[in-house]
Amino acid sequence: MIAKVRKAVFPAAGLGTRFLPATKAQPKEMLPLVDKPLIQYGVEEAMQSGVRNIIIVTGRGKSAIEDHFDVSFELEHLLETRHKKELLATVRAVSDMIDISYVRQKEALGLGHAVLRARELVGDEPFSVILSDDVIDAEVPCLRQLLDVYEFYGAAVVALMEVPKEFISAYGVVDAEPVAHNGGKDRLYRIRNMVEKPKAEDAPSNLAIIGRYVLTPEIFTSLEAIEPGSGGEIQLTDGLKHVLRSRPIYGYRFEGKRYDAGDKLGFLKATVEFALKREDLGEEFRAYLKGLSF
Ligand code: UTP
């Protein structure tokens, strides 16, 4: 029997240097995309994928994230007395996202280190990881797509995306062979090797790892065993490479559009496209953009 994935870990303790000064006193996961912080999109994706137990790894600015998912009595009271029913429902929906726990990463020692901090809360079971600055707009939530593969093979699965050569050195990159799956041979891969932030000429492929993972608990032992890698940080990619020595790992080229919302340009693109899709804003915003003279 393949164990069910019940938990999602959200590393949110990075320094967010690409988004300074906005991220000086608040985590980038709290940057609002139209009107919702990035991390809420991720939490909603987990919920829609059937994963309800949320673990957030926080660093500085921890209170902003905790407060966001907590009940705000003052705000609810104010909205109630002003009869703002819709807003009240929106605010309550956030705090009703049950079952969130927090663990602290005191120093930003890398994504792998952040995941390792969640070990106690995850325990000895498979789990998922969502990097909420990778916002993915998809018909079937990206995490659900990975879980479908996990539930079939019972092995770890990472999200993959094709990236042009000139940008590849910003990512973890895989060396992988395609595997026939669901009647097709163009989305699922079995990973042979992976490398974090390779030089473009050394990259083993154009397939980059994007911030969605389904992992098995062996990753914790591997993360403890490895030395700091690229940038002096404990890299999740290096931990996965260590797991590969004894277990298979799959990569799934997900269906959907990914925005790098931890980067200013990626964030702007996401903001414009998400706003255009909104029923309450889209039409007016489109007219406004059309009227701009460039
Ligand atoms: P990034 O690679 O985007 O790094 O982290 P960063 O520090 O947040 O941002 P930049 O590159 O300086 O602008 C990917 C994810 O891993 C988390 C981040 O919060 C983000 O969700 N992370 C990274 C941690 O939780 N801890 C770390 O030590 C590093």
Side-chain angles (χ1 to χ4, degrees), residues 11-19 28-29 105 108-111 114 131 133 262:
L15 297 177
T17 54
R18 285 171 296 156
F19 228 117
K28 68 176 162 188
E29 290 75 10
Q105 185 193 23
L109 298 177
L111 175 57
L131 306 188
D133 49 344

Side-chain angles (χ1 to χ4, degrees), residues 62-192:
K62 156 190 152 110
S63 56
I65 297 179
E66 285 196 11
D67 290 348
H68 180 71
F69 290 108
D70 204 353
V71 178
S72 172
F73 291 109
E74 302 86 341
L75 180 61
E76 289 191 12
H77 180 67
L78 186 97
L79 294 173
E80 232 163 1
T81 50
R82 292 191 182 166
H83 305 291
K84 304 269 189 198
K85 278 192 184 157
E86 267 183 39
L87 277 179
L88 184 61
T90 311
V91 166
R92 282 207 175 130
V94 178
S95 51
D96 283 349
M97 291 183 175
I98 32 107
D99 226 358
I100 302 193
S101 20
Y102 299 89
V103 60
R104 187 99 166 160
Q105 185 193 23
K106 286 189 191 139
E107 250 185 293
L109 298 177
L111 175 57
H113 182 262
V115 170
L116 193 51
R117 295 290 301 131
R119 185 179 200 167
E120 291 277 301
L121 289 171
V122 169
D124 191 25
E125 59 179 279
F127 64 104
S128 54
V129 174
I130 292 187
L131 306 188
S132 44
D133 49 344
D134 275 335
V135 177
I136 299 175
D137 188 23
E139 219 162 279
V140 176
C142 181
L143 181 60
R144 186 63 253 166
Q145 297 179 40
L146 299 194
L147 287 167
D148 288 343
V149 175
Y150 163 79
E151 283 163 12
F152 195 84
Y153 293 95
V157 192
V158 303
L160 296 178
M161 187 178 99
E162 284 176 340
V163 167
K165 199 172 177 185
E166 64 264 40
F167 302 120
I168 200 80
S169 42
Y171 296 86
V173 183
V174 300
D175 171 15
E177 61 182 314
V179 174
H181 178 71
N182 261 353
K185 216 183 174 188
D186 65 336
R187 294 214 172 263
L188 186 68
Y189 294 82
R190 177 139 177 195
I191 296 176
R192 282 189 286 249

Side-chain angles (χ1 to χ4, degrees), residues 181-213:
H181 178 71
N182 261 353
K185 216 183 174 188
D186 65 336
R187 294 214 172 263
L188 186 68
Y189 294 82
R190 177 139 177 195
I191 296 176
R192 282 189 286 249
N193 197 5
M194 46 181 94
V195 42
E196 182 64 25
K197 300 190 172 62
K199 284 189 195 146
E201 60 271 27
D202 299 335
S205 74
N206 65 345
L207 289 170
I209 304 175
I210 299 302
R212 301 290 183 278
Y213 309 76

Side-chain angles (χ1 to χ4, degrees), residues 30-47:
M30 285 304 292
L31 293 171
L33 207 52
V34 186
D35 55 5
K36 263 193 290 190
L38 295 178
I39 193 157
Q40 192 178 332
Y41 286 91
V43 169
E44 287 174 1
E45 181 181 326
M47 302 271 174

